[in-house]
Amino acid sequence: MIILLNKSKRRGSHQMNIDVALKSQKAASKTKAVRKKYQYVAFLYIAPWLIGLFVFQLYPFIASFIYSFTDFTMLKKPSFVGLKNYIDLFTKDQLFLQSLKITFIYVIIAVPLKLAFALFIAMILNIKLRFVNFFRTVYYMPSILGGSVAVAVLWRFLFMREGLVNKVTSIFHIPAVDWLGNPKIALYTISLLTVWQFGSSMVLFLAGLKNIPSELYEAARVDGASKPRMFVTITLPLLTPIVFFNLIMQMVHAFQEFTGAFVVTNGGPAKATYLYGLMLYQNGFQFFKMGYASAQSWILFAIIMLMTMLVFKSSEYWTFYEDGGDF
Amino acid sequence: MKRAMRLISTLCIISILATLFIGCAKEAPKTGTDSTQQAAADNKDKTDKKDAAPKNVTMRFSWWGGDSRHKATLAAIEAYTKKNPHVKIEAEYGGFDGYFQKLTTQLAGGTAPDIMQVDQPWLPSLTSQGDLFVDINTLKEIDLSAFDKKFLDSQLTIGGKLQGLPTGLIGITMFYNKTAFEKFGISADTQWTFDNLIEIGKQVHEKDKNIYLLNLDINKYDWIMKAIVKEKTGEQWVKDDYTLGFDKAILVEGLTWIKKAVDSGAVQPFEEMILYDKKAETNPKWVNGELLMNINWPSSFERFTESVANKDAKWDVTAFPISKDAKKSGVITRAAQVMCINKNSANISEAAKFINWMFNDDEAILILEDVRGVPATEKARKMLTDSKKLDERIVRATEVAIKNSGDPENGPTNDPELLEIDRDIIQKVGYGQLTPEKAADELIQRYTEKLAELKAKK
């Protein structure tokens, strides 16, 4: 517009000046209107997602924060109790620390195992094989089914005393183990269920492996490097950004784990798999202590936040980016 | 072309959004949910439209149970809807495990069914949360004359309101595999005590390492532990004023029974049992006939005996132990289940009519038989006995249990948080993680804290 105005100024005609200015204004407002219309359509397109975000995430998110300061029981009107829920959790509730401890153990076992297993399978599937795409699909399957109750039920049947696992080991005369009934073992069995859902991490590792330039391996081979050596000095460092990403995602997920422990052992035996999520559920839906459960969920949120920040901070020392990794 | 495309896509999005909203929309709560008003309004409706066809209604009815109960209830619903074509009843049924959580979530979310089967021990904690069920006394549609008024008043009336109707009367009994008992030389006339359960259980297990006398899950250990304690104290487990009804020494005796039972081999080790907690009839050892006895409500008799693979095995029912020097019996008797009507239901009147039919109509009585325990009404009991539809064993067991019955359990005793502490402690003893003495200390300490909290909430 300024250019137009300048132009008309040079021509020296005042009237024209106004005309052009008006015209350009009109044109501008027209494009504005069009843009507005497009924006409106765009919003319409993303509306389902936006509504989902507001109704199913943002609203419960805020509501639970407010409820965490009340004695909300779902059926009665909540009344404000200040920090009582938080204080009770830390000072009175023995199960709180117990379930936190179990959850940390679970995260420490399940996440590294899952990542290692995902990487292992990704390495295998990275080998040029016939039907490799078929295998990649097959190996991804457990992840699609993974979170479902059906798989957890299957797990129960596999690992119960009369289950398939004990049947197979009995062939080798190994005595039957109570994989889920023994308080000392049950948590590991539940962790295995998580490890089995390695698919999404595996796909990311696979993509990462494909991105590593083959020249590096060729050069290493020329220099006479062994396979393990190549893995340690080429593959692993170049995969660290993906390890980092997977670590964060899986850790966040593992802290919130619920389905497996709920369906397979329901927190038992003798509270051995009483994960934090289960305690939260029990308080909220079995004992009607929604306010208390909300406080619990915010503590979990803070813990996950803190752990994620720690991993982020530590990543400076162990992730490696070819381009320097400024992010 | 472009414009058409845009139009189509906009329409698509709007339709998606519309379904989303419809899906989310909660049924508008009725104003003035007071049931008497509602009943009166409905009655007025009826008189107004005497000649007009009744309004079509769809109701939801939820219950838990085993196959025989499901089949009979579905048949009853079909019979009722055939007679009342304007009524449609959607059945929501399944196992016991998880039913309570589902129900509470539905009640909180305002999506609870119109008619709900509720367990009696849940009533105190549910009704303390609010006015959830219609006071049956206010409903003209239901004829209460056939019920024992004393029972309704003492067990199902809370805050002066009759919360629901009892489907049956039940008391703790024991089922046993008669065929296997003969094989092991156990007399059917054995007078069971808490001690000889362990002694005979030990002998059985010594004879055959694969076999255990008792099939117990944690809830049943809880019954036994409490029965032993109550016999000694003559008090409620938790008194009405939220104090403990026992001291450590007596509790230790109750917990020691659990340890003895496990150590002697009278029961399966906890490691093997725990996966079938709350669904003991699915325990493979029970199915294979390797567990000979179960302690349970008579209403579970069919479910438990039907799940045993060997159909030739004969079953009978015997009385739950009572010690000779007991101050009070530990046998619990109560309503088998309670049929409640949702206070927020849009069809209270129709729901009441259906319930009235279920309890009082001859056809319904004959269809439902004893799938919810021996019926609570005299009329139904007589009808079923006359037509030989009642299992003689169940009737006998129920009669014995009622004769031996202790006081009905009070509300605080059945608080879900306290029961959860029991479950914890019982497992700690069963797994040998704690001695009965240490476990008693822990139970008393945790109970004391929780009871203070519960009392403060009152």
Side-chain angles (χ1 to χ4, degrees):
Chain A
M1 208 156 106
I2 296 164
I3 300 165
L4 279 173
L5 284 173
N6 285 343
K7 253 187 193 169
S8 53
K9 234 182 209 166
R10 252 179 275 138
R11 280 184 193 161
S13 157
H14 190 66
Q15 184 54 40
M16 209 169 159
N17 206 348
I18 293 168
D19 269 3
V20 172
L22 276 174
K23 222 181 210 169
S24 64
Q25 216 170 8
K26 232 181 190 170
S29 72
K30 199 176 173 189
T31 49
K32 220 178 187 176
V34 169
R35 198 177 299 149
K36 229 181 189 170
K37 200 169 171 192
Y38 272 117
Q39 266 171 3
Y40 159 73
V41 173
F43 272 120
L44 212 56
Y45 270 111
I46 58 170
W49 183 83
L50 274 183
I51 290 167
L53 175 77
F54 283 114
V55 175
F56 297 117
Q57 295 194 341
L58 203 62
Y59 168 70
F61 196 71
I62 295 166
S64 82
F65 186 68
I66 298 167
Y67 286 145
S68 75
F69 300 106
T70 68
D71 63 353
F72 186 40
T73 60
M74 297 207 288
L75 297 166
K76 264 194 214 158
K77 266 209 175 114
S79 63
F80 186 72
V81 294
L83 287 171
K84 185 176 180 293
N85 290 332
Y86 292 92
I87 294 168
D88 283 358
L89 271 168
F90 281 105
T91 57
K92 279 191 186 161
D93 201 330
Q94 300 171 2
L95 294 177
F96 170 71
L97 286 182
Q98 193 185 336
S99 72
L100 258 187
K101 192 179 129 197
I102 292 167
T103 310
F104 268 94
I105 296 174
Y106 169 79
V107 171
I108 289 167
I109 301 168
V111 175
L113 262 181
K114 187 173 181 176
L115 293 188
F117 194 62
L119 180 58
F120 174 68
I121 300 290
M123 302 270 292
I124 292 176
L125 294 181
N126 197 32
I127 302 169
K128 288 194 180 73
L129 283 171
R130 279 180 90 182
F131 310 119
V132 74
N133 278 331
F134 169 74
F135 288 118
R136 279 174 195 162
T137 315
V138 168
Y139 276 86
Y140 188 64
M141 294 269 235
S143 292
I144 302 172
L145 305 166
S148 80
V149 172
V151 172
V153 172
L154 174 78
W155 213 249
R156 209 182 136 95
F157 280 107
L158 280 176
F159 283 93
M160 63 167 108
R161 195 180 175 83
E162 296 77 10
L164 188 68
V165 174
N166 277 342
K167 288 239 164 76
V168 171
T169 52
S170 73
I171 299 171
F172 305 102
H173 301 289
I174 300 167
V177 176
D178 289 298
W179 298 100
L180 298 166
N182 187 332
K184 290 184 186 125
I185 305 175
L187 187 62
Y188 300 97
T189 315
I190 297 289
S191 306
L192 277 182
L193 172 62
T194 318
V195 173
W196 193 61
Q197 301 159 34
F198 56 84
S200 58
S201 314
M202 179 203 75
V203 168
L204 288 166
F205 276 133
L206 200 56
L209 287 172
K210 291 242 171 281
N211 259 342
I212 299 175
S214 55
E215 305 94 80
L216 294 178
Y217 291 111
E218 276 159 28
R221 208 168 295 133
V222 171
D223 288 345
S226 65
K227 278 256 156 96
R229 183 67 202 261
M230 281 197 260
F231 176 75
V232 173
T233 47
I234 302 173
T235 315
L236 218 44
L238 286 174
L239 269 184
T240 47
I242 306 220
V243 173
F244 171 61
F245 177 78
N246 275 338
L247 177 64
I248 298 256
M249 296 308 287
Q250 298 307 329
M251 192 185 70
V252 170
H253 198 243
F255 269 110
Q256 301 172 13
E257 174 62 22
F258 175 77
T259 320
F262 179 68
V263 176
V264 182
T265 55
N266 197 8
K271 292 258 183 300
T273 60
Y274 194 58
L275 294 175
Y276 197 82
L278 279 166
M279 184 189 171
L280 209 158
Y281 169 82
Q282 198 170 44
N283 275 322
F285 293 95
Q286 215 169 324
F287 305 152
F288 299 111
K289 292 156 78 177
M290 239 346 142
Y292 198 66
S294 298
Q296 247 196 301
S297 70
W298 276 88
I299 292 172
L300 180 64
F301 178 72
I303 291 171
I304 293 177
M305 195 76 151
L306 192 77
M307 294 308 290
T308 313
M309 270 158 57
L310 278 178
V311 174
F312 256 95
K313 262 264 169 282
S314 75
S315 71
E316 287 167 24
Y317 303 101
W318 58 269
T319 50
F320 172 82
Y321 292 87
E322 271 186 293
D323 58 0
D326 244 350
F327 69 100
Chain B
M1 184 65 198
K2 232 181 190 173
R3 179 173 271 187
M5 281 300 285
R6 200 178 298 151
L7 194 74
I8 290 167
S9 58
T10 312
L11 279 175
C12 285
I13 293 166
I14 288 171
S15 62
I16 291 169
L17 287 182
T19 48
L20 221 150
F21 279 123
I22 290 163
C24 289
K26 202 167 125 182
E27 221 171 281
K30 269 185 310 97
T31 48
T33 40
D34 184 58
S35 57
T36 35
Q37 269 178 23
Q38 178 60 35
D42 283 339
N43 282 340
K44 192 166 165 274
D45 263 16
K46 241 193 292 175
T47 45
D48 284 351
K49 302 179 198 162
K50 220 164 206 172
D51 298 318
K55 216 174 86 191
N56 283 343
V57 289
T58 303
M59 294 190 289
R60 287 158 59 219
F61 173 19
S62 72
W63 72 87
W64 75 85
D67 277 344
S68 49
R69 185 180 298 170
H70 298 329
K71 267 188 213 150
T73 314
L74 291 173
I77 290 175
E78 207 190 314
Y80 183 78
T81 44
K82 216 175 241 168
K83 273 189 177 167
N84 301 278
H86 67 290
V87 179
K88 205 178 147 205
I89 297 173
E90 287 170 0
E92 298 176 7
Y93 54 96
F96 182 69
D97 195 16
Y99 182 89
F100 179 64
Q101 281 91 323
K102 190 179 161 200
L103 187 76
T104 52
T105 315
Q106 286 179 327
L107 283 168
T111 55
D114 302 278
I115 303 165
M116 291 164 270
Q117 177 178 311
V118 173
D119 209 8
Q120 189 185 340
W122 304 341
L123 281 177
S125 74
L126 280 175
T127 49
S128 74
Q129 299 294 322
D131 214 3
L132 303 172
F133 310 119
V134 177
D135 179 2
I136 303 288
N137 283 323
T138 64
L139 297 173
K140 290 188 190 74
E141 290 86 348
I142 298 183
D143 175 13
L144 292 175
S145 59
F147 289 90
D148 175 6
K149 190 167 178 325
K150 231 161 86 195
F151 185 84
L152 296 186
D153 287 346
S154 67
Q155 297 227 15
L156 298 173
T157 305
I158 297 173
K161 290 175 183 163
L162 181 54
Q163 305 288 342
L165 286 177
T167 52
L169 300 177
I170 52 171
I172 302 179
T173 68
M174 307 203 286
F175 323 144
Y176 65 95
N177 185 332
K178 218 171 166 179
T179 319
F181 264 38
E182 278 160 20
K183 201 181 123 200
F184 281 92
I186 308 169
S187 163
D189 299 327
T190 310
Q191 287 295 314
W192 291 100
T193 64
F194 296 111
D195 291 332
N196 70 8
L197 275 176
I198 289 176
E199 280 158 32
I200 296 176
K202 190 177 174 191
Q203 290 163 15
V204 168
H205 188 61
E206 274 166 2
K207 270 187 206 159
D208 186 338
K209 285 278 165 240
N210 286 321
I211 302 220
Y212 300 92
L213 179 67
L214 288 162
N215 177 16
L216 302 180
D217 61 2
I218 295 175
N219 178 238
K220 311 301 176 299
Y221 282 106
D222 200 39
W223 285 354
I224 294 177
M225 173 181 81
K226 285 179 175 165
I228 292 173
V229 169
K230 275 192 274 188
E231 282 194 349
K232 297 249 157 33
T233 62
E235 299 268 5
Q236 288 277 355
W237 173 256
V238 176
K239 293 184 202 163
D240 289 334
D241 62 354
Y242 290 86
T243 54
L244 293 178
F246 52 86
D247 60 20
K248 187 187 163 185
I250 293 173
L251 178 59
V252 168
E253 286 183 43
L255 289 166
T256 307
W257 189 92
I258 298 168
K259 187 175 157 43
K260 274 193 197 157
V262 174
D263 292 348
S264 65
V267 295
Q268 227 182 338
F270 270 53
E271 284 86 350
E272 296 177 27
M273 168 278 288
I274 199 76
L275 267 190
Y276 314 102
D277 183 40
K278 291 184 192 166
K279 31 189 175 272
E281 75 276 19
T282 62
N283 187 326
K285 272 205 171 308
W286 176 262
V287 175
N288 291 338
E290 292 171 330
L291 305 171
L292 312 186
M293 215 173 179
N294 178 245
I295 297 179
N296 221 316
W297 305 113
S299 47
S300 305
F301 181 72
E302 214 171 329
R303 179 157 49 102
F304 271 79
T305 49
E306 269 174 4
S307 67
V308 175
N310 176 12
K311 300 294 171 208
D312 298 332
K314 294 210 164 47
W315 290 87
D316 207 342
V317 186
T318 183
F320 185 76
I322 306 181
S323 311
K324 283 199 182 85
D325 53 351
K327 281 190 187 164
K328 268 220 175 111
S329 150
V331 178
I332 311 167
T333 49
R334 59 172 174 89
Q337 306 93 21
V338 187
M339 283 295 166
C340 301
I341 300 178
N342 186 350
K343 187 121 204 190
N344 291 319
S345 160
N347 311 303
I348 291 176
S349 172
E350 286 293 345
K353 279 184 212 158
F354 174 65
I355 285 196
N356 186 53
W357 179 84
M358 262 175 76
F359 283 108
N360 291 322
D361 188 273
D362 294 0
E363 188 189 359
I365 290 169
L366 291 176
I367 295 174
L368 290 168
E369 298 182 4
D370 59 348
V371 293
R372 286 185 174 78
V374 177
T377 65
E378 185 66 48
K379 176 191 174 187
R381 276 201 296 270
K382 191 171 179 318
M383 271 184 69
L384 293 180
T385 323
D386 290 349
S387 55
K388 299 212 160 60
K389 291 267 176 112
L390 273 188
D391 190 325
E392 173 272 327
R393 294 168 294 188
I394 305 278
V395 178
R396 179 162 39 90
T398 310
E399 274 168 8
V400 171
I402 289 171
K403 202 182 91 199
N404 294 343
S405 167
D407 294 337
E409 285 187 313
N410 62 1
T413 294
N414 280 315
D415 182 88
E417 284 192 80
L418 296 178
L419 291 176
E420 191 59 33
I421 297 178
D422 296 351
R423 291 178 58 81
D424 248 20
I425 301 293
I426 289 167
Q427 288 185 65
K428 283 184 178 172
V429 175
Y431 276 110
Q433 293 173 342
L434 287 181
T435 61
E437 286 76 20
K438 287 235 169 79
D441 284 334
E442 190 182 323
L443 186 140
I444 289 171
Q445 181 242 330
R446 284 171 68 180
Y447 255 68
T448 314
E449 279 174 20
K450 197 50 83 187
L451 284 171
E453 191 187 314
L454 291 172
K455 198 178 176 181
K457 262 195 211 160
K458 265 281 156 189

